[in-house]
Amino acid sequence: MMATTHVFAGLAVVAPIAYAVPELVVPLAIGAICGGLAPDFDLLLEHRRTFHAPVLGAPLAALGIVVALLVPTAITAALAAAAVAAWLHSASDALGGGPEMDPWTHRSERAVYDHVRSTWIRPRRWVRYDGAPEDAALAVGLAVPGLLVFDGWVSVAIVCGIAISVAYALVRRRLVEWTPEWLE
């Protein structure tokens, strides 16, 4: 899935809390955005293995939630939001295709790495590839809760993210032919 889809999922998860506790709106938004993006920092390393933690991320996210509930501060809320969004990103990558540049060819049976079992989780291909039409639709749908709850710079970022998502989806399949071989 696209990075924007993961960010919107993180924002959607924290939106009810941000609505209920308005003084935590900014830390929750920052945490969700950073956590939604963070696993993809491994794009130039071994993508979906280095920083993705679909199994190990769950207890870390749970711990973050517990700490934020016991010590409700802006920092603990942001860290919990980041942990939850990062885990959600890592786990949901198994719902898409593989990490290769052209996942629609189904060359790989590796979606995301499970560090606990030391094996790859197979792609489910519910979202065929990042930037697929269903990915763009999912991104737009997941952006709605954030647009309803957040305002200011967060809502501007969401609208920009929607535009980027749709534009990326329109050119995604052509990116393979535009990409230099050393990046593949």
Side-chain angles (χ1 to χ4, degrees):
M1 284 183 250
M2 297 181 287
T4 52
T5 305
H6 295 301
V7 167
F8 296 151
L11 287 169
V13 167
V14 302
I17 301 149
Y19 181 78
V21 189
E23 59 271 16
L24 294 178
V25 165
V26 172
L28 288 168
I30 291 170
I33 292 167
C34 292
L37 292 173
D40 278 343
F41 290 160
D42 69 4
L43 274 168
L44 297 177
L45 302 169
E46 190 168 0
H47 185 46
R48 294 195 187 170
R49 181 177 182 160
T50 312
F51 296 142
H52 285 65
V55 178
L56 288 175
L60 292 175
L63 177 63
I65 292 168
V66 168
V67 169
L69 288 171
L70 293 174
V71 185
T73 66
I75 291 173
T76 59
L79 291 174
V84 169
W87 168 73
L88 186 60
H89 175 149
S90 298
S92 65
D93 269 345
L95 302 177
E100 62 273 3
M101 284 293 292
D102 57 350
W104 49 86
T105 63
H106 305 302
R107 290 183 295 137
S108 173
E109 283 302 310
R110 296 176 164 196
V112 64
Y113 194 74
D114 175 355
H115 293 89
V116 173
R117 293 178 190 88
S118 299
T119 188
W120 285 88
I121 298 170
R122 70 175 181 80
R124 302 301 193 267
R125 296 188 174 93
W126 295 352
V127 173
R128 295 170 294 158
Y129 55 89
D130 69 305
E134 62 270 21
D135 191 12
L138 181 61
V140 171
L142 287 169
V144 171
L147 285 172
L148 294 174
V149 172
F150 298 101
D151 58 8
W153 68 268
V154 179
S155 61
V156 170
I158 292 170
V159 170
C160 290
I162 291 170
I164 290 167
S165 299
V166 171
Y168 180 73
L170 290 172
V171 300
R172 170 59 178 102
R173 289 194 60 139
R174 301 186 96 194
L175 287 179
V176 174
E177 61 193 65
W178 299 338
T179 304
E181 283 186 35
W182 61 271
L183 273 178
E184 293 181 21

